[in-house]
Amino acid sequence: MTPMIEIRGVHKLFGHLHVLKGIDLTVQRGEVAVLLGPSGSGKSTLLRCINELEEISAGRVFVDGELVGLHEVAKGNRTVLHRRRDEDIARQRSRIGMVFQRFNLFPHLTALQNVMEAPRQVRKVPKDKARKRAEELLGRVGLADRADHYPAQLSGGQQQRVAIARALAMDPELMLFDEPTSALDPELVGEVLNVMKDLASDGMTMVVVTHEIGFAREVADQVVFMDDGVIVERGTPAGVIDNPQEPRTKDFFAKVL
């Protein structure tokens, strides 16, 4: 079976800053991969490269077998990579849902309207159909009774759950979460993690950047520990978190557990 994500030799440079240094990673369909590591290790940048929010400097990223952001053109006996057209990149990106640290909801739209917006504008879904789907998704994240509330009337946890529903409204094949609970008060973290656990149990392929070690232990199929732009160690939660083999991994978890 074709992996949902296949990353081969990916480098990312911002000027002279070498953020990703030859990343190789495979995430199978239906798998939850959790990226752990100190701030500045390249976790969020890697997530953004999967979704083509950042152009990679070298290497290849495949989502469901399709090369992301680039296409190969044969020239004689060699293959040359060309940038995809913007509309083609937008098509690829529409298959991937992404939830950020900040909720980025439209403040002038209700929760329901926020969830309806992308299907209506991007996929031209009829209003009645988009509304019905948005109502279903708000129910799924436990916010059916907040559909007519504006973001300013919602708690941080509720806003993040609306953001998850909004990402799901595009029927993605893959969900990316970039520290989705880091901006929340501690008592609101659980409600967001519970929604993510439900998605995982339904078989959604997910890559999650988080500092929530308990979530990684409970939900992850694969834990990836990153530091200084490289993957230091990967494996099951029990292997990487509870029985790390690499000195850098041991040092990190000794400090955070």
Side-chain angles (χ1 to χ4, degrees), residues 62-83:
F62 296 86
V63 172
D64 196 21
E66 185 177 32
L67 187 58
V68 171
L70 303 165
H71 65 97
E72 297 177 331
V73 177
K75 285 198 173 182
N77 59 355
R78 64 191 182 98
T79 300
V80 178
L81 291 175
H82 286 274
R83 183 94 177 136

Side-chain angles (χ1 to χ4, degrees), residues 30-32 140 177 193-206 215 218-221:
E31 187 175 55
V32 178
R140 181 175 184 179
F177 293 86
L193 293 181
N194 285 336
V195 171
M196 295 169 64
K197 290 174 187 176
D198 287 342
L199 287 176
S201 66
D202 287 345
M204 174 64 75
T205 309
M206 298 162 56
F215 174 83
E218 184 177 349
V219 180
D221 298 292

Side-chain angles (χ1 to χ4, degrees), residues 137-138 141-143 155-166 191-192 195:
L137 289 169
L138 287 175
V141 300
L143 292 174
S155 70
Q158 289 170 336
Q159 290 185 59
Q160 191 62 294
R161 284 187 280 157
V162 173
I164 293 172
R166 180 177 62 180
E191 62 189 53
V192 174
V195 171

